[in-house]
Structures are given as structure tokens and as C-alpha cells.
């Protein structure tokens, strides 16, 4: 049996108004070559200008990944030629990345794990190529879009760990607002490095790199295929070649692209046209203060402080807005368990069904709290609360009002119920005798009270009063 070792290099586009080094728009466009500036085209004489929002958000991500940040933001040139790179070099960070030596906490099937981050650096995206039969077209919309590359240590030991890490990383991008991280728009892409080592071996095995995989499911399939392929080679006494392979998403196999023996020499040097930008402690503190509590910590809090299950906590933190909504209900005095139940079992289903975002949702946290509290105080039953919920959101009315309209308020007044009970017992002395003889006539009286009050009498109180009144006779 071999142990699998995985290291990931994740590229994610940073959400900014303009590109990393030019004033062209950084926005999704259906039309090719719409958001393009001379800098993005690499025309002679261009001067790149660093985008403050891009390096600010990059530093925020670095801090969220518990990285050490540098004293200056500076860039390097990575020289290579490819048609999607008109300048003949990419501006990236080699000397001083925005973050080094960080970590991300993840929970894989119930067990916590620290995933080590080697570095996170800011660079620019390339143009994109569309290949047709005998020709290719270049779209420069993507050229120069700020791109953050997160590089993990080779410390992921299973497909599940790799996928959980990717989900966690995506969550951090979304929670901090650094990126929209939409894989369907190619905003988040991944290079996957996989090697095998014998159980107990001291040195890592030879790795294979798979470039530019653009969906999490393909990452899973590519790793699974590589484990199988490499295992077969090793078991038949062969050796793994260090190489870059391509994952084909049609036959779900990987194919060699280039071997790493003649590794490219990028001849890095410091980008001379962008002076280093000093990063003050105040700037770092300001950025830190804007990082919200992240998913992992929220789940720990929900389990530890609110006694929720991991399953429910995971559902609540999936979308930050839902998690914020939930926390707001608690601030407003809701019982965490009741609020969590209501959100996970009713509200999310409703929002999903009608494709409504929680911020466009009629029911505010305050209204949910009112609704939950009516149940917790026994004013209405939990079954009735669902009916009230649907009427609230459909008629756009507040819970208290709907309860009145539907006439649902429970009768919790002792005297009202007692009067009914006394009258019922007076009417049927025979059933009291039956009751003494051991026959169950108790439920008959409960049923009668419910019938007379159209189900509104508080059940617990009704039972208590019937017991008391029967004992008196
Ligand atoms: P390279 O010099 O080939 O770019 P690096 O050491 O910079 O390699 O690592 C690139 C990525 O490959 C990192 O994400 C790292 O975790 C991963 N990696 C390195 N060695 C291995 C290995 N033996 N098995 C799996 N992944 C590895
Ligand atoms: Mg590398």
C-alpha cells in the first residue's frame, strides 16, 4: 500500500474594479477584448501601476490564512513566451510574496487538520485562448486580472483532505470578499501535485503535476486517476517520471504534457517599473480588523457554545449571509437550537425553492425571533409556526399579525381552561367512575377540551388541569 501525498497551487481571481496594473475593467464580459488597455496588450512603452485594492485584498487573504506578511509589496518578472502572454513576461511575486508560512484549519470527516501554506502571492492572469480547427483566437479580457496563487505544502494525504481544503479556501475567499471564487467562470483554478510514497518511507515520492483543473470534481477525478496510474507503475517495479500532465475531462484520464527534466528557467528579476510599496503596521491592523469570523471558527462556536451538531453548523456557515442572519437572531434573543432548526429545516428550503437570496428575504431576523419565541413560550405550537411562517412570507405580514389573523394564539389562561374542564367533568360523572376503575377516559376529556377550543388550549396545561380536577372528585 502506498501513501498519497498531495500539494495544491490554487489560482483565484481577486475581485477589484480595475485590473492589477492597468485601469481596464476587471469584470466578466461575454464579449471578447472588451476590457482591454494598452498595458494588458503589452504595447511598447507601457508603465504598469500597482492596484491598491488588489494588494490590499491579497494581504487580507494572506492574513486570513495566518501568513506572515512582508514589510513591502513588490513584484518580480517571470519571463517566458506564450501567445496568451503578450509582454513575454508575467508580473508576479517571487522575492516577497504577500504571505508566507501560513496555515488553514479544516475538518475532515470529524477530525481537525492543519493545512500548511507555503506562500500566497499576487500576480496577473493571462489572456485566454480559444482553439478552433486550424486557428486560435485570443481574448485579452482576462489579461492582467489580479490573480492570487495559494501554494500549500505537500501535506494533504487523501482526496477528501484535498477537496475539504479547497472548499475551506473557497469559503475564506467568499467570507473575506477577496474573490467570488466562481469555478464556473474560471475564477478559481487549481494545479494538483500528486505523489506516492511507501508506508513508513522518509522521503517524498516523485510528483506529477496536473495543471489548470477548473472544477473541484475534476480535481477529485484527476487525483483518483493519478493514484491508480502511479500505483500500477510502482507495483510493476517501474519508476514515476517527474512531469506535468493534463487532465482530460472527457475520458477522465491524465496525459503527459512536458517532462520536468529540462525545467524552464524563468530568469526572475525584480519588476523595475513598480517601486516597492511600504506596508505599515497600521495598514495591516486596519485590514485585520475587517476580516470577519471565518467558517471554521464559526462552526467551532456553534458546536461549542450553542450545542449544535456539526452537520447543522456546516449548513449554517456555508453561506456567510445565512450565518450572519442566524447570528443576528441569537443577538436578538432567540434560542440557538430553535433558530438553527427553523433556518436549516424551513427557511433554506424555501429560499432554495423560490431562488431567493437571504438578503432579499421578507422575514427579517427580528421577525424570525418573534416567531420562534412564540413557540418557545407556548403561545403557538411548532406545527402552527410553519403555517404562520408561510403566511408571513406570502402575505408579507409580521408573525404576530398573522397569528392574530389565523386566530392561532394558544389559550394559556388557567381559568378559561379550568371552567371548560369543570363543566365537562360535571356532565360525565360516569366517566370519572370508569377512570377510577382503571379505564382510560382521561384522553376523552383532553379531546373534548381541544374540540371546544378548536385546538387552541395549551396541551400541557389542559392535562394538568384535568388531572387536578379529577383528583378533587
Ligand atoms: P516545483 O519546484 O516543482 O514548482 P515546489 O516545491 O515549488 O515544486 O512545489 C510546488 C507544489 O508541489 C506545492 O504545492 C507542493 O506542495 C507540491 N509538491 C512538492 N513536492 C511534492 C510531492 N513530492 N508530492 C506532492 N506534491 C508535492
Ligand atoms: Mg513552484
Amino acid at each position: 500500500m502506498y501513501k498519497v501525498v498531495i500539494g495544491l497551487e490554487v489560482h483565484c481571481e481577486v475581485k477589484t474594479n480595475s485590473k492589477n496594473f492597468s485601469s481596464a475593467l476587471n469584470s466578466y464580459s461575454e464579449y471578447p477584448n472588451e476590457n482591454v488597455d494598452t498595458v494588458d496588450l503589452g504595447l511598447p512603452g507601457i508603465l504598469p501601476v500597482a492596484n491598491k485594492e488588489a494588494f490590499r485584498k491579497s494581504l487580507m487573504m494572506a492574513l486570513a490564512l495566518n501568513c506572515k506578511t512582508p514589510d513591502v509589496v513588490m513584484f518580480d518578472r517571470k519571463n517566458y513566451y506564450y501567445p496568451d502572454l503578450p509582454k513575454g513576461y508575467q508580473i508576479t511575486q517571487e522575492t516577497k510574496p504577500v504571505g508566507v508560512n501560513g496555515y488553514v484549519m479544516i475538518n475532515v470527516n470529524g477530525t481537525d487538520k492543519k493545512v500548511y501554506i507555503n506562500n500566497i502571492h499576487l500576480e496577473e492572469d493571462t489572456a485566454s485562448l480559444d482553439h478552433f480547427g486550424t486557428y486560435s483566437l485570443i481574448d485579452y479580457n482576462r489579461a492582467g486580472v489580479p490573480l492570487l496563487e495559494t501554494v500549500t505544502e505537500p501535506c494533504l494525504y487523501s482526496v477528501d483532505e484535498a477537496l475539504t481544503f479547497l472548499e475551506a479556501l473557497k469559503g475564506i475567499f467568499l467570507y473575506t470578499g477577496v474573490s467570488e471564487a466562481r469555478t464556473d467562470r474560471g475564477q478559481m483554478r487549481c494545479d494538483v501535485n500528486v505523489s506516492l510514497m511507501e508506508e513508513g518511507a522518509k522521503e517524498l515520492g516523485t510528483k506529477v503535476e496536473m495543471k489548470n483543473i477548473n472544477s473541484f470534481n475534476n480535481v477529485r477525478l484527476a487525483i483518483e486517476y493519478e493514484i491508480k496510474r502511479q500505483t500500477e507503475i510502482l507495483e510493476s517495479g517501474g519508476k514515476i517520471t517527474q512531469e506535468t500532465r493534463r487532465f482530460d475531462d472527457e475520458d477522465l484520464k491524465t496525459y503527459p504534457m512536458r517532462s520536468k527534466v529540462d525545467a524552464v528557467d524563468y530568469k526572475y528579476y525584480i519588476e523595475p517599473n513598480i517601486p516597492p510599496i511600504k506596508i505599515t503596521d497600521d495598514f495591516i491592523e486596519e485590514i485585520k480588523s475587517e476580516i470577519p469570523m471565518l467558517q471554521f471558527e464559526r462552526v467551532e462556536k456553534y458546536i461549542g457554545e450553542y450545542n449544535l451538531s456539526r452537520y447543522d453548523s456546516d449548513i449554517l456557515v456555508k453561506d456567510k449571509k445565512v450565518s450572519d442572519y442566524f447570528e443576528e437572531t441569537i443577538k436578538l434573543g432567540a434560542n440557538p437550537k430553535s433558530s438553527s432548526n427553523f433556518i436549516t429545516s424551513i427557511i433554506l428550503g424555501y429560499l432554495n425553492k423560490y431562488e431567493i437570496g437571504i438578503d432579499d428575504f421578507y422575514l427579517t431576523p427580528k421577525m424570525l425571533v418573534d416567531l420562534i419565541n412564540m413557540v418557545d413560550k407556548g403561545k403557538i405550537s411548532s406545527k402552527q409556526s410553519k403555517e404562520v411562517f408561510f403566511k408571513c412570507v406570502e402575505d408579507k405580514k409580521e408573525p404576530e399579525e398573522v397569528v392574530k389573523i389565523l386566530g392561532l394564539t394558544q389559550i394559556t389562561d388557567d381559568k378559561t381552561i379550568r371552567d371548560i374542564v369543570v363543566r365537562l367533568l360535571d356532565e360525565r360523572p360516569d366517566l370519572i367512575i370508569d377512570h377510577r376503575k382503571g379505564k382510560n377516559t382521561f384522553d376523552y376529556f383532553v379531546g373534548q377540551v381541544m374540540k371546544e377550543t378548536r385546538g387552541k388550549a395549551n396541551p400541557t396545561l389542559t392535562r394538568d388541569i384535568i388531572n387536578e380536577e379529577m383528583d378533587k372528585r
Side-chain angles (χ1 to χ4, degrees), residues 56-76:
R56 190 181 198 282
K57 284 198 159 133
S58 302
L59 286 166
M60 181 180 281
M61 192 62 191
L63 293 167
L65 300 185
N66 305 294
C67 286
K68 287 189 189 55
T69 51
D71 52 344
V72 293
V73 165
M74 54 181 278
F75 296 94
D76 300 270

Side-chain angles (χ1 to χ4, degrees), residues 12-26 39-40 47-58 73 75 87 90-93 98 121-125 141-148 274 277:
C12 202
E13 289 181 354
V14 183
K15 189 172 153 56
T16 52
N17 291 328
S18 57
K19 290 191 181 175
N20 213 359
F21 304 109
S22 86
S23 58
L25 277 185
N26 170 19
V39 171
D40 315 318
L47 272 181
V49 177
N51 178 336
K52 184 173 178 188
E53 187 60 12
F55 68 72
R56 190 181 198 282
K57 284 198 159 133
S58 302
V73 165
F75 296 94
K87 298 195 298 293
Q90 179 193 33
I91 304 181
T92 178
Q93 293 185 311
V98 282
H121 57 270
L122 175 60
E123 54 192 30
E124 54 180 337
D125 211 342
N141 280 342
R142 207 180 70 182
V145 165
L147 196 64
L148 256 183
I274 305 174
I277 300 150

Side-chain angles (χ1 to χ4, degrees), residues 4-10 116 118-119 149-156 191-197 203-209 211 242 260 263:
V4 57
V5 177
I6 302 161
L8 300 172
E9 298 161 273
V10 188
Y116 293 95
N118 177 289
N119 78 84
E149 178 173 350
T150 307
V151 183
T152 75
E153 294 292 349
C155 64
L156 297 156
D191 300 344
V192 183
N193 302 272
V194 179
S195 68
L196 295 185
M197 63 196 283
E203 290 198 0
L204 294 178
T206 305
K207 70 165 182 175
V208 162
E209 178 181 29
K211 282 237 177 257
Q242 183 170 345
K260 198 99 190 195

Side-chain angles (χ1 to χ4, degrees), residues 96-203:
K96 288 201 178 195
V98 282
V100 294
N101 296 335
Y103 66 88
V104 177
M105 291 304 300
I106 59 173
N107 184 282
V108 191
N109 308 322
T111 310
D112 284 354
K113 178 183 169 96
K114 207 171 192 175
V115 179
Y116 293 95
I117 304 299
N118 177 289
N119 78 84
I120 172 164
H121 57 270
L122 175 60
E123 54 192 30
E124 54 180 337
D125 211 342
T126 58
S128 44
L129 290 167
D130 268 334
H131 302 289
F132 298 89
T134 53
Y135 64 99
S136 299
L137 296 177
I138 304 186
D139 176 3
Y140 289 97
N141 280 342
R142 207 180 70 182
V145 165
L147 196 64
L148 256 183
E149 178 173 350
T150 307
V151 183
T152 75
E153 294 292 349
C155 64
L156 297 156
Y157 302 127
S158 69
V159 181
D160 279 356
E161 287 187 6
L163 268 291
T164 308
F165 168 75
L166 283 175
E167 289 292 353
L169 190 68
K170 179 173 177 169
I172 299 174
F173 274 116
L174 294 175
Y175 265 59
T176 51
V178 169
S179 173
E180 289 174 348
R182 284 183 60 167
T183 44
D184 61 332
R185 287 188 176 171
Q187 290 173 347
M188 194 172 177
R189 306 168 325 247
C190 195
D191 300 344
V192 183
N193 302 272
V194 179
S195 68
L196 295 185
M197 63 196 283
E198 279 196 57
E199 211 64 67
K202 292 226 160 55
E203 290 198 0

